[in-house]
Amino acid sequence: MLGGRGAGKTRAGAEWVRRLVFSRRVEAGGAVERVALIGETLADVRDVMVHGESGLMSLDWGSEAKIRWVGSKRTLELPNGAIAMAFSSEDPESLRGPQFSAAWCDELAKWRYPEATFDMLQFGLRLGTRPRQMVTTTPRPLPLLARIMGEAGTVVTRARTVDNAENLAEAFLTQVVARYTGTRLGRQELDAEFLEERSDALWKRGALEACRVSAAPALRRIVVAIDPPASSGANSDACGIVAAGIGADGFGYVLSDASEERLSPARWAKRAVDLYHRLEADRIVAEVNQGGEMVEAVIRQTDASVPVEQVRASRGKYLRAEPIAALYEQGRVKHVGAFPELEDEMCDFALGGLSSGRSPDRLDALVWALAALMLTREGKPRVRGI
């Protein structure tokens, strides 16, 4: 089930599980006994799929039926003796061993390790006469999702955000939906369209999947790069905050994407400084085109001890991004885990910018971070005499 934001995907998945638990029809494969619940994190399974407003515990299971969440076992006890077990896409190996007759996979497009997690699940779907699974997600053009949709045994349904308008806040419909309707982002996030990546984009999905690693080696240097917005209003750009490091192998490793929209200067400075300390980084690299010396001043108000390197864009975004894209093509950059929003920007960025017309703030921060680490020794142009 491909669904837009707020289209009712979680409720649909929960109702699907409830129906399977109560079903006794032979043609439906009989009632299920063990269900796997897989989300981006264990917290997502607990807080959304189980305890959420549309989750399993919110449903009407009948006056006599009782369901109970056992947090220590990550298990939801269901009627008819069935149990549902929680798993995280952050730990695909946890699916090695258990077996199930059904599985509900929520927000697969956000999973940290989608391929490995989904593959491990398939080996465990071996109970009953008709093992089956349901995927509820807002689509992104991931190779795994395309593969699932193309398989002969897959039934694809779609639900747009506006299809569930009566259960959504009016302000959300008038401000968010109206703002993005018709854009590439809106078609994906609101209309649940599976959009193929741009043929002219600097990055491709397959290449990013190939550069993904589970952990970084010991790093020689780590930087946190900031692309600050001009304002923090409702229609302002996001603040790009990306951390990366360089290993002894000379490869760059993207470590974190802490970008966020509508952050005030004090908030984005604190977020960047907190990331700097958490990763034990060497410096913060900050673009100063928008705020000049104020950018460094705001950071120093948060922590005066943090070394800050100011960088100023003298070329367009595409020209700055091309050398970084070349590093990816050479296999010299790795992503430690997945960064869905950042990778969406990368695979939608071409000569004319993003298809939505918005600023590629996450991508800008990525470019500054990797340029500081990899393009020159100190991230600055140099001339060598021979």
Side-chain angles (χ1 to χ4, degrees):
M1 179 181 179
L2 305 181
R5 302 288 186 93
K9 301 185 297 297
T10 302
R11 181 59 181 266
E15 291 283 4
W16 180 79
V17 171
R18 184 176 72 91
R19 181 178 180 182
L20 291 182
V21 169
F22 284 137
S23 175
R24 293 293 183 184
R25 295 176 301 161
V26 175
E27 65 270 25
V32 302
E33 297 178 356
R34 289 190 183 181
V35 181
L37 305 176
I38 306 100
E40 180 183 7
T41 66
L42 286 175
D44 289 317
V45 177
R46 182 192 63 223
D47 298 339
V48 178
M49 302 173 73
V50 175
H51 290 295
E53 293 181 354
S54 301
L56 288 161
M57 296 193 73
S58 71
L59 304 183
D60 180 8
W61 292 86
S63 58
E64 300 299 324
K66 294 182 179 180
I67 62 174
R68 184 170 73 102
W69 170 253
V70 184
S72 60
K73 297 181 179 180
R74 297 182 286 114
T75 298
L76 181 65
E77 297 177 352
L78 299 167
N80 295 342
I83 62 171
M85 303 173 63
F87 297 90
S88 165
S89 73
E90 296 179 321
D91 185 14
E93 290 298 308
S94 64
L95 285 159
R96 188 185 293 274
Q99 54 184 353
F100 316 99
S101 46
W104 172 22
C105 308
D106 192 45
E107 293 296 359
L108 178 141
K110 291 175 59 182
W111 285 6
R112 185 170 179 83
Y113 302 112
E115 297 277 356
T117 303
F118 192 78
D119 287 344
M120 284 296 101
L121 172 63
Q122 305 315 298
F123 290 113
L125 281 169
R126 55 181 185 262
L127 289 182
T129 59
R130 187 188 166 199
R132 72 211 82 168
Q133 55 198 320
M134 181 174 187
V135 175
T136 53
T137 188
T138 298
R140 285 196 177 99
L142 301 181
L144 172 61
L145 190 56
R147 191 184 82 208
I148 294 172
M149 292 171 61
E151 290 180 352
T154 301
V155 176
V156 180
T157 62
R158 288 179 172 82
R160 300 175 303 160
T161 299
V162 295
D163 296 334
N164 196 34
E166 63 184 45
N167 294 310
L168 301 174
E170 183 65 28
F172 175 78
L173 294 171
T174 57
Q175 296 177 19
V176 178
V177 175
R179 178 181 180 184
Y180 292 103
T181 294
T183 67
R184 182 181 177 87
L185 188 61
R187 291 169 58 198
Q188 173 179 281
E189 300 293 322
L190 301 175
D191 296 334
E193 293 186 36
F194 185 83
L195 301 175
E196 299 292 341
E197 59 187 89
R198 296 179 63 172
S199 60
D200 57 345
L202 276 178
W203 284 270
K204 303 299 181 185
R205 293 278 179 184
L208 291 184
E209 290 296 330
C211 79
R212 206 177 308 286
V213 295
S214 59
L219 299 173
R220 293 191 288 111
R221 291 182 62 219
I222 298 174
V223 300
V224 175
I226 308 175
D227 178 41
S231 66
S232 58
N235 296 320
S236 65
D237 295 331
C239 179
I241 304 174
V242 172
I246 187 168
D249 53 10
F251 287 9
Y253 292 86
V254 181
L255 305 173
S256 177
D257 174 20
S259 308
E260 187 62 72
E261 294 183 348
R262 293 185 291 277
L263 291 179
S264 65
R267 289 178 62 200
W268 59 249
K270 184 178 186 307
R271 177 171 289 211
V273 169
D274 287 348
L275 184 60
Y276 165 89
H277 286 299
R278 178 166 65 83
L279 297 177
E280 299 181 349
D282 297 280
R283 68 179 59 183
I284 289 179
V285 177
E287 181 183 320
V288 297
N289 286 60
Q290 296 284 5
E293 294 181 356
M294 182 200 71
V295 174
E296 181 173 347
V298 172
I299 297 172
R300 297 209 178 282
Q301 287 175 4
T302 303
D303 189 337
S305 67
V306 175
V308 179
E309 177 184 343
Q310 296 186 21
V311 290
R312 187 179 296 274
S314 58
R315 299 184 299 166
K317 297 179 186 294
Y318 188 86
L319 292 177
R320 296 201 308 273
E322 276 187 312
I324 304 302
L327 294 175
Y328 277 85
E329 290 180 2
Q330 295 164 7
R332 295 174 58 193
V333 181
K334 306 295 182 182
H335 283 199
V336 184
F339 309 102
E341 293 85 1
L342 170 61
E343 291 168 10
D344 283 350
E345 283 194 4
M346 296 171 71
C347 295
D348 187 40
F349 184 75
L351 185 58
L354 297 179
S355 60
S356 65
R358 304 201 69 184
S359 175
D361 308 294
R362 298 171 189 270
L363 175 57
D364 278 346
L366 171 78
V367 168
W368 286 122
L370 292 176
L373 292 167
M374 303 182 71
L375 292 190
T376 65
R377 188 173 63 184
E378 293 296 332
K380 299 176 182 178
R382 300 172 64 85
V383 176
R384 183 177 64 177
I386 299 178

